[in-house]
Coordinates of all heavy atoms in Angstrom, one line a residue:
M245 N -22.0 -53.1 60.6 CA -20.9 -52.4 61.3 C -20.5 -53.2 62.5 O -21.2 -53.4 63.4 CB -21.5 -51.0 61.7 CG -20.6 -50.1 62.3 SD -21.2 -48.4 62.0 CE -19.7 -47.8 61.3
P246 N -19.2 -53.6 62.5 CA -18.8 -54.5 63.6 C -18.8 -53.8 65.0 O -19.4 -54.3 65.9 CB -17.3 -54.9 63.2 CG -17.3 -54.7 61.7 CD -18.2 -53.5 61.4
H247 N -18.1 -52.6 65.1 CA -18.0 -51.9 66.3 C -18.3 -50.4 66.1 O -18.0 -49.9 65.0 CB -16.7 -52.1 67.0 CG -16.5 -53.4 67.5 ND1 -16.1 -54.5 66.8 CD2 -16.6 -53.9 68.8 CE1 -16.0 -55.6 67.5 NE2 -16.3 -55.3 68.7
V248 N -18.9 -49.8 67.1 CA -19.2 -48.4 67.0 C -18.6 -47.6 68.2 O -18.6 -48.1 69.4 CB -20.8 -48.2 67.1 CG1 -21.2 -46.8 67.1 CG2 -21.4 -49.0 66.0
I249 N -18.1 -46.5 67.9 CA -17.5 -45.6 69.0 C -18.6 -44.6 69.3 O -19.1 -43.9 68.4 CB -16.2 -44.9 68.6 CG1 -15.1 -46.0 68.3 CG2 -15.7 -44.0 69.7 CD1 -13.8 -45.5 67.8
C250 N -18.9 -44.5 70.6 CA -20.1 -43.7 71.0 C -19.6 -42.4 71.8 O -18.4 -42.1 71.9 CB -21.0 -44.5 71.9 SG -21.7 -45.9 70.9
E251 N -20.6 -41.7 72.4 CA -20.4 -40.4 73.0 C -19.3 -40.3 74.0 O -18.6 -39.2 74.0 CB -21.7 -40.0 73.7 CG -21.7 -38.6 74.3 CD -23.1 -38.3 74.9 OE1 -23.9 -37.9 74.1 OE2 -23.2 -38.4 76.1
P252 N -19.0 -41.3 74.9 CA -17.9 -41.1 75.8 C -16.5 -40.7 75.2 O -15.7 -40.1 75.9 CB -17.8 -42.4 76.6 CG -19.2 -42.9 76.5 CD -19.7 -42.5 75.1
C253 N -16.4 -41.0 73.9 CA -15.1 -40.7 73.2 C -15.0 -39.2 73.0 O -13.8 -38.6 73.0 CB -15.0 -41.4 71.9 SG -13.5 -41.1 71.0
I254 N -16.1 -38.5 72.9 CA -16.0 -37.0 72.6 C -15.3 -36.3 73.7 O -15.6 -36.4 74.8 CB -17.5 -36.5 72.3 CG1 -18.1 -37.1 71.1 CG2 -17.5 -35.0 72.2 CD1 -19.5 -36.8 70.8
G255 N -14.3 -35.5 73.2 CA -13.6 -34.7 74.2 C -12.4 -35.5 74.8 O -11.6 -34.9 75.5
V256 N -12.4 -36.8 74.7 CA -11.3 -37.6 75.3 C -10.3 -38.0 74.3 O -9.1 -37.7 74.4 CB -11.9 -38.8 76.0 CG1 -10.8 -39.7 76.6 CG2 -12.9 -38.4 77.1
K257 N -10.8 -38.8 73.3 CA -9.9 -39.3 72.2 C -8.6 -39.8 72.7 O -7.5 -39.3 72.3 CB -9.7 -38.2 71.1 CG -11.0 -38.0 70.4 CD -11.0 -36.8 69.4 CE -9.9 -36.8 68.4 NZ -9.9 -35.7 67.5
D258 N -8.6 -40.7 73.6 CA -7.4 -41.3 74.3 C -6.4 -41.9 73.3 O -5.2 -41.9 73.6 CB -7.9 -42.3 75.3 CG -6.7 -42.9 76.0 OD1 -6.1 -42.3 76.9 OD2 -6.5 -44.1 75.7
Q259 N -6.8 -42.5 72.3 CA -6.0 -43.2 71.3 C -5.5 -44.6 71.6 O -4.8 -45.2 70.9 CB -4.8 -42.3 70.8 CG -5.2 -41.0 70.2 CD -4.0 -40.3 69.5 OE1 -2.9 -40.9 69.4 NE2 -4.2 -39.1 69.1
S260 N -5.9 -45.1 72.8 CA -5.6 -46.4 73.2 C -6.1 -47.4 72.2 O -5.5 -48.4 71.8 CB -6.1 -46.8 74.6 OG -5.4 -46.0 75.5
C261 N -7.3 -47.1 71.7 CA -8.0 -48.0 70.7 C -7.2 -48.0 69.4 O -7.0 -49.1 68.8 CB -9.4 -47.6 70.4 SG -9.6 -45.9 69.8
V262 N -6.7 -46.9 69.0 CA -5.9 -46.8 67.7 C -4.6 -47.6 67.9 O -4.3 -48.3 66.9 CB -5.6 -45.3 67.5 CG1 -4.7 -45.2 66.2 CG2 -6.9 -44.5 67.3
E263 N -4.0 -47.5 69.0 CA -2.7 -48.2 69.2 C -2.9 -49.8 69.2 O -1.9 -50.4 68.8 CB -2.1 -47.8 70.5 CG -1.7 -46.3 70.5 CD -1.3 -45.8 71.9 OE1 -1.2 -46.6 72.9 OE2 -1.2 -44.6 72.0
V264 N -4.0 -50.3 69.6 CA -4.2 -51.8 69.7 C -4.8 -52.3 68.4 O -4.8 -53.6 68.2 CB -5.0 -52.2 70.9 CG1 -4.2 -51.8 72.2 CG2 -6.4 -51.7 70.9
C265 N -5.3 -51.5 67.5 CA -6.0 -52.0 66.4 C -5.0 -52.7 65.4 O -4.1 -52.0 64.9 CB -6.8 -50.9 65.7 SG -7.7 -51.4 64.2
P266 N -5.2 -54.0 65.1 CA -4.2 -54.6 64.2 C -4.3 -54.3 62.7 O -3.4 -54.5 62.0 CB -4.5 -56.1 64.4 CG -5.9 -56.2 64.8 CD -6.2 -54.9 65.6
V267 N -5.5 -53.7 62.3 CA -5.6 -53.3 60.9 C -5.7 -51.8 60.7 O -6.0 -51.4 59.6 CB -6.9 -54.1 60.3 CG1 -6.6 -55.5 60.3 CG2 -8.1 -53.7 61.1
E268 N -5.5 -51.0 61.7 CA -5.5 -49.6 61.6 C -6.8 -49.0 61.0 O -6.7 -48.2 60.0 CB -4.3 -49.1 60.9 CG -3.0 -49.5 61.6 CD -1.7 -49.1 60.9 OE1 -1.8 -48.5 59.8 OE2 -0.6 -49.4 61.4
C269 N -7.9 -49.5 61.5 CA -9.2 -49.0 60.9 C -9.9 -48.0 61.7 O -11.1 -47.6 61.5 CB -10.1 -50.2 60.7 SG -10.7 -51.0 62.2
I270 N -9.2 -47.4 62.7 CA -9.8 -46.4 63.6 C -9.2 -45.0 63.2 O -8.0 -44.9 63.2 CB -9.6 -46.7 65.1 CG1 -10.2 -48.0 65.4 CG2 -10.1 -45.6 66.0 CD1 -9.9 -48.5 66.8
Y271 N -10.1 -44.1 62.9 CA -9.7 -42.8 62.3 C -10.2 -41.6 63.2 O -11.2 -41.8 63.9 CB -10.2 -42.6 60.9 CG -9.7 -43.7 60.0 CD1 -10.4 -44.8 59.7 CD2 -8.5 -43.5 59.3 CE1 -9.9 -45.8 58.9 CE2 -8.0 -44.4 58.4 CZ -8.7 -45.6 58.2 OH -8.2 -46.6 57.4
D272 N -9.5 -40.5 63.1 CA -9.9 -39.3 63.8 C -11.1 -38.7 63.0 O -10.9 -38.3 61.8 CB -8.7 -38.3 63.8 CG -9.0 -37.2 64.8 OD1 -10.2 -36.7 64.9 OD2 -8.0 -36.7 65.3
G273 N -12.2 -38.5 63.7 CA -13.4 -37.9 63.0 C -13.7 -36.5 63.5 O -14.8 -36.0 63.4
G274 N -12.7 -35.8 64.1 CA -12.9 -34.5 64.6 C -13.1 -34.5 66.1 O -12.2 -34.5 66.8
D275 N -14.4 -34.6 66.5 CA -14.7 -34.6 67.9 C -14.5 -36.0 68.6 O -14.5 -36.1 69.8 CB -16.1 -34.0 68.2 CG -17.2 -34.9 67.5 OD1 -16.9 -35.7 66.7 OD2 -18.4 -34.7 67.9
Q276 N -14.4 -37.0 67.7 CA -14.3 -38.4 68.2 C -13.6 -39.2 67.2 O -13.4 -38.8 66.1 CB -15.6 -39.0 68.6 CG -16.4 -39.3 67.3 CD -17.7 -40.1 67.6 OE1 -18.7 -39.5 67.9 NE2 -17.6 -41.4 67.6
F277 N -13.2 -40.4 67.6 CA -12.7 -41.4 66.7 C -13.8 -42.2 66.1 O -14.9 -42.2 66.7 CB -11.7 -42.4 67.3 CG -10.4 -41.8 67.7 CD1 -10.0 -41.6 69.0 CD2 -9.5 -41.3 66.7 CE1 -8.8 -41.1 69.4 CE2 -8.3 -40.8 67.1 CZ -7.9 -40.6 68.4
Y278 N -13.6 -42.8 64.9 CA -14.6 -43.7 64.4 C -13.9 -44.9 63.8 O -12.7 -44.9 63.5 CB -15.5 -43.0 63.3 CG -14.7 -42.7 62.0 CD1 -14.7 -43.6 61.0 CD2 -14.0 -41.5 61.9 CE1 -14.1 -43.3 59.8 CE2 -13.4 -41.2 60.7 CZ -13.4 -42.1 59.7 OH -12.7 -41.8 58.5
I279 N -14.7 -46.0 63.7 CA -14.2 -47.3 63.1 C -14.7 -47.5 61.7 O -15.9 -47.4 61.5 CB -14.6 -48.5 64.0 CG1 -14.0 -48.3 65.4 CG2 -14.1 -49.8 63.4 CD1 -14.5 -49.3 66.4
H280 N -13.8 -47.7 60.7 CA -14.3 -47.9 59.4 C -14.8 -49.3 59.3 O -14.1 -50.3 59.4 CB -13.2 -47.6 58.4 CG -13.7 -47.5 57.0 ND1 -14.3 -48.5 56.3 CD2 -13.8 -46.4 56.2 CE1 -14.7 -48.1 55.1 NE2 -14.4 -46.8 55.0
P281 N -16.1 -49.5 59.0 CA -16.7 -50.8 59.1 C -16.3 -51.8 58.0 O -16.3 -53.0 58.2 CB -18.2 -50.6 59.0 CG -18.3 -49.2 58.3 CD -17.1 -48.5 58.8
E282 N -15.8 -51.2 56.9 CA -15.3 -52.1 55.8 C -13.9 -52.6 56.0 O -13.4 -53.5 55.4 CB -15.5 -51.4 54.4 CG -16.9 -51.2 54.1 CD -17.1 -50.5 52.8 OE1 -16.1 -50.0 52.2 OE2 -18.3 -50.4 52.3
E283 N -13.2 -51.9 56.9 CA -11.8 -52.3 57.2 C -11.7 -53.1 58.5 O -10.7 -53.9 58.7 CB -10.9 -51.0 57.3 CG -10.9 -50.2 56.1 CD -10.2 -48.9 56.2 OE1 -9.5 -48.7 57.3 OE2 -10.2 -48.1 55.3
C284 N -12.6 -53.0 59.4 CA -12.6 -53.6 60.7 C -12.7 -55.1 60.5 O -13.6 -55.6 59.8 CB -13.7 -53.1 61.6 SG -13.9 -53.9 63.2
I285 N -11.9 -55.9 61.2 CA -12.0 -57.4 61.2 C -12.7 -58.0 62.4 O -12.8 -59.2 62.5 CB -10.6 -58.0 61.1 CG1 -9.7 -57.6 62.3 CG2 -9.9 -57.6 59.8 CD1 -8.4 -58.3 62.4
D286 N -13.4 -57.1 63.1 CA -14.2 -57.5 64.3 C -13.5 -58.3 65.3 O -14.0 -59.3 65.9 CB -15.4 -58.3 63.7 CG -16.6 -58.3 64.7 OD1 -16.6 -57.4 65.6 OD2 -17.5 -59.1 64.5
C287 N -12.2 -57.9 65.6 CA -11.4 -58.7 66.5 C -11.7 -58.3 68.0 O -11.5 -59.0 68.9 CB -9.9 -58.5 66.3 SG -9.3 -56.8 66.7
G288 N -12.3 -57.1 68.2 CA -12.7 -56.6 69.5 C -11.5 -56.1 70.4 O -11.8 -55.8 71.5
A289 N -10.3 -56.0 69.8 CA -9.2 -55.5 70.6 C -9.4 -54.1 71.2 O -8.9 -53.8 72.2 CB -7.9 -55.6 69.8
C290 N -10.1 -53.3 70.4 CA -10.3 -51.9 70.8 C -11.3 -51.8 72.0 O -11.1 -50.8 72.8 CB -10.9 -51.1 69.7 SG -12.5 -51.8 69.0
V291 N -12.2 -52.7 72.2 CA -13.2 -52.6 73.3 C -12.6 -52.5 74.7 O -12.8 -51.5 75.4 CB -14.2 -53.7 73.2 CG1 -15.2 -53.6 74.3 CG2 -15.0 -53.7 71.8
P292 N -11.7 -53.4 75.1 CA -11.1 -53.3 76.4 C -10.1 -52.2 76.5 O -9.8 -51.7 77.6 CB -10.6 -54.7 76.7 CG -10.3 -55.2 75.4 CD -11.4 -54.7 74.5
A293 N -9.5 -51.7 75.4 CA -8.5 -50.7 75.4 C -9.1 -49.3 75.7 O -8.3 -48.5 76.2 CB -7.8 -50.7 74.1
C294 N -10.3 -49.1 75.4 CA -10.9 -47.8 75.6 C -11.1 -47.5 77.1 O -11.9 -48.2 77.8 CB -12.3 -47.7 74.9 SG -13.1 -46.1 75.1
P295 N -10.5 -46.4 77.6 CA -10.6 -46.1 79.0 C -11.9 -45.5 79.4 O -12.2 -45.5 80.6 CB -9.4 -45.1 79.2 CG -9.3 -44.4 77.9 CD -9.6 -45.5 76.9
V296 N -12.7 -45.1 78.5 CA -14.0 -44.5 78.8 C -15.2 -45.3 78.4 O -16.3 -44.9 78.4 CB -14.1 -43.0 78.2 CG1 -13.1 -42.1 78.9 CG2 -14.0 -43.0 76.7
N297 N -14.9 -46.6 78.0 CA -15.9 -47.5 77.6 C -16.9 -47.0 76.5 O -18.1 -47.0 76.6 CB -16.7 -48.0 78.8 CG -15.9 -48.7 79.8 OD1 -15.0 -49.5 79.4 ND2 -16.0 -48.4 81.1
A298 N -16.3 -46.4 75.4 CA -17.1 -45.8 74.4 C -17.3 -46.8 73.2 O -18.1 -46.4 72.3 CB -16.3 -44.6 73.9
I299 N -16.7 -47.9 73.2 CA -16.8 -48.8 72.0 C -17.6 -50.0 72.3 O -17.4 -50.7 73.3 CB -15.4 -49.3 71.6 CG1 -14.5 -48.0 71.3 CG2 -15.4 -50.1 70.3 CD1 -13.0 -48.3 71.1
Y300 N -18.6 -50.3 71.4 CA -19.5 -51.4 71.5 C -19.7 -52.1 70.2 O -19.7 -51.5 69.1 CB -20.9 -50.9 71.9 CG -21.0 -50.2 73.2 CD1 -20.7 -48.8 73.3 CD2 -21.3 -50.8 74.4 CE1 -20.7 -48.2 74.6 CE2 -21.3 -50.2 75.6 CZ -21.0 -48.9 75.7 OH -21.1 -48.2 76.9
P301 N -20.0 -53.4 70.2 CA -20.4 -54.1 69.0 C -21.8 -53.4 68.7 O -22.5 -53.0 69.6 CB -20.7 -55.5 69.5 CG -19.8 -55.7 70.7 CD -19.8 -54.4 71.4
E302 N -22.0 -53.3 67.4 CA -23.2 -52.6 66.9 C -24.5 -53.0 67.7 O -25.3 -52.2 68.1 CB -23.4 -52.7 65.4 CG -24.7 -51.9 64.9 CD -24.9 -52.0 63.5 OE1 -24.1 -52.7 62.7 OE2 -25.8 -51.3 63.0
E303 N -24.7 -54.3 67.8 CA -25.9 -54.8 68.4 C -26.0 -54.5 69.9 O -27.1 -54.7 70.5 CB -26.0 -56.4 68.2 CG -24.9 -57.2 68.8 CD -23.7 -57.4 67.9 OE1 -23.6 -56.7 66.8 OE2 -22.8 -58.1 68.3
D304 N -24.9 -54.1 70.6 CA -24.9 -53.8 72.0 C -24.8 -52.3 72.3 O -24.7 -51.9 73.5 CB -23.7 -54.5 72.7 CG -23.8 -56.0 72.6 OD1 -24.9 -56.5 72.5 OD2 -22.7 -56.7 72.7
V305 N -24.9 -51.5 71.3 CA -24.9 -50.0 71.5 C -26.1 -49.6 72.4 O -27.2 -50.0 72.1 CB -24.9 -49.2 70.2 CG1 -25.1 -47.7 70.5 CG2 -23.6 -49.5 69.4
P306 N -25.8 -48.9 73.6 CA -26.9 -48.5 74.4 C -27.9 -47.7 73.7 O -27.5 -46.9 72.8 CB -26.2 -47.7 75.5 CG -24.8 -48.3 75.6 CD -24.5 -48.6 74.1
E307 N -29.2 -47.8 74.1 CA -30.3 -47.1 73.4 C -30.0 -45.6 73.2 O -30.2 -45.0 72.2 CB -31.6 -47.3 74.1 CG -32.8 -46.9 73.4 CD -33.0 -47.6 72.1 OE1 -32.8 -48.8 72.0 OE2 -33.4 -47.0 71.1
Q308 N -29.4 -44.9 74.3 CA -29.2 -43.5 74.2 C -28.1 -43.1 73.2 O -28.0 -41.9 72.9 CB -28.9 -42.9 75.6 CG -27.5 -43.3 76.2 CD -27.6 -44.5 77.0 OE1 -28.4 -45.4 76.9 NE2 -26.6 -44.6 78.0
W309 N -27.4 -44.1 72.7 CA -26.3 -43.8 71.8 C -26.5 -44.4 70.4 O -25.6 -44.5 69.6 CB -24.9 -44.2 72.4 CG -24.6 -43.4 73.6 CD1 -24.9 -42.1 73.9 CD2 -23.8 -43.9 74.7 NE1 -24.3 -41.7 75.1 CE2 -23.7 -42.8 75.6 CE3 -23.2 -45.1 75.0 CZ2 -23.0 -42.9 76.8 CZ3 -22.5 -45.2 76.2 CH2 -22.4 -44.1 77.1
K310 N -27.7 -44.9 70.1 CA -27.9 -45.5 68.8 C -27.6 -44.6 67.7 O -27.2 -45.1 66.6 CB -29.4 -46.0 68.7 CG -29.8 -47.1 69.7 CD -29.2 -48.4 69.2 CE -29.8 -49.5 70.1 NZ -29.2 -50.8 69.8
S311 N -27.7 -43.3 67.8 CA -27.5 -42.3 66.7 C -26.0 -42.4 66.3 O -25.6 -42.0 65.2 CB -27.8 -40.9 67.2 OG -27.0 -40.5 68.2
Y312 N -25.1 -42.9 67.2 CA -23.7 -43.0 66.8 C -23.4 -44.1 65.8 O -22.4 -44.1 65.2 CB -22.9 -43.2 68.1 CG -22.7 -41.9 68.9 CD1 -23.7 -41.5 69.8 CD2 -21.7 -41.1 68.6 CE1 -23.6 -40.3 70.5 CE2 -21.6 -39.9 69.3 CZ -22.6 -39.5 70.2 OH -22.5 -38.3 70.9
I313 N -24.3 -45.0 65.6 CA -24.2 -46.0 64.6 C -24.2 -45.3 63.2 O -23.3 -45.5 62.4 CB -25.3 -47.1 64.6 CG1 -25.2 -47.9 65.9 CG2 -25.2 -48.0 63.4 CD1 -26.4 -48.8 66.2
E314 N -25.2 -44.4 63.0 CA -25.3 -43.6 61.8 C -24.1 -42.7 61.7 O -23.5 -42.5 60.6 CB -26.6 -42.9 61.7 CG -26.8 -42.1 60.4 CD -28.1 -41.4 60.3 OE1 -29.0 -41.8 61.0 OE2 -28.2 -40.5 59.5
K315 N -23.8 -42.0 62.8 CA -22.7 -41.1 62.8 C -21.4 -41.7 62.3 O -20.6 -41.2 61.5 CB -22.5 -40.4 64.2 CG -21.4 -39.4 64.2 CD -21.2 -38.7 65.5 CE -20.2 -37.6 65.5 NZ -20.0 -37.0 66.8
N316 N -21.1 -42.9 62.8 CA -19.9 -43.7 62.5 C -19.9 -44.0 61.0 O -18.9 -43.9 60.3 CB -19.7 -44.9 63.3 CG -19.0 -44.7 64.6 OD1 -17.9 -45.2 64.8 ND2 -19.6 -44.0 65.5
R317 N -21.1 -44.4 60.5 CA -21.2 -44.7 59.0 C -20.9 -43.4 58.2 O -20.2 -43.5 57.2 CB -22.5 -45.2 58.7 CG -22.7 -46.6 59.1 CD -24.0 -47.2 58.5 NE -24.2 -48.6 58.9 CZ -25.2 -49.1 59.6 NH1 -26.1 -48.3 60.1 NH2 -25.2 -50.3 59.9
K318 N -21.4 -42.3 58.6 CA -21.2 -41.0 57.9 C -19.7 -40.6 57.9 O -19.2 -40.2 56.9 CB -22.1 -39.9 58.5 CG -23.5 -40.0 58.1 CD -24.4 -38.9 58.6 CE -25.8 -39.1 58.2 NZ -26.7 -38.0 58.7
L319 N -19.1 -40.7 59.1 CA -17.7 -40.4 59.2 C -16.9 -41.3 58.3 O -15.8 -40.9 57.8 CB -17.2 -40.5 60.7 CG -17.7 -39.4 61.6 CD1 -17.4 -39.8 63.1 CD2 -17.1 -38.1 61.3
A320 N -17.3 -42.5 58.1 CA -16.5 -43.5 57.3 C -16.8 -43.2 55.8 O -16.3 -43.9 54.9 CB -16.9 -44.9 57.7
G321 N -17.8 -42.3 55.5 CA -18.1 -42.0 54.1 C -19.0 -43.0 53.5 O -19.1 -43.1 52.2
L322 N -19.8 -43.7 54.3 CA -20.7 -44.8 53.7 C -22.1 -44.3 53.6 O -23.0 -45.0 53.1 CB -20.6 -46.0 54.6 CG -19.3 -46.6 54.8 CD1 -19.3 -47.8 55.7 CD2 -18.7 -47.1 53.4
E323 N -22.4 -43.1 54.1 CA -23.8 -42.5 53.9 C -23.6 -41.1 53.5 O -22.7 -40.4 53.7 CB -24.5 -42.6 55.2 CG -24.9 -44.0 55.5 CD -25.9 -44.0 56.7 OE1 -26.4 -43.0 57.1 OE2 -26.1 -45.1 57.2

């Protein structure tokens, strides 16, 4: 999974990440956005665009938000 959207997105859903994504792989998952890992090209454009710092490369997801890796996969229909 290239990038993961974590807890700070919940309740905010600013859409800045959606606007900068060159492959349109960020989708509305209800309470937050999620990145479809099979569509993401790992460009990282979404990371600095997020005003609440909710987007991380999978390997850099903070420990307290590791559950969002699985949540993003589920939202993408991969689990």
Side-chain angles (χ1 to χ4, degrees):
M245 182 153 236
H247 288 83
V248 178
I249 299 178
C250 298
E251 185 176 280
C253 183
I254 294 176
V256 177
K257 291 172 57 178
D258 177 74
Q259 296 191 15
S260 294
C261 58
V262 176
E263 293 169 9
V264 300
C265 180
V267 294
E268 299 178 1
C269 68
I270 302 174
Y271 299 93
D272 191 330
D275 63 346
Q276 72 172 85
F277 289 114
Y278 70 92
I279 298 171
H280 196 291
E282 293 179 351
E283 298 174 10
C284 179
I285 60 171
D286 203 15
C287 71
C290 57
V291 177
C294 180
V296 294
N297 299 316
I299 306 173
Y300 297 86
E302 180 178 5
E303 62 274 7
D304 294 337
V305 171
E307 192 62 40
Q308 71 267 28
W309 296 328
K310 292 284 187 188
S311 64
Y312 285 85
I313 296 170
E314 182 179 340
K315 182 178 182 182
N316 274 246
R317 283 190 179 117
K318 286 181 179 178
L319 288 170
L322 300 177
E323 289 188 13

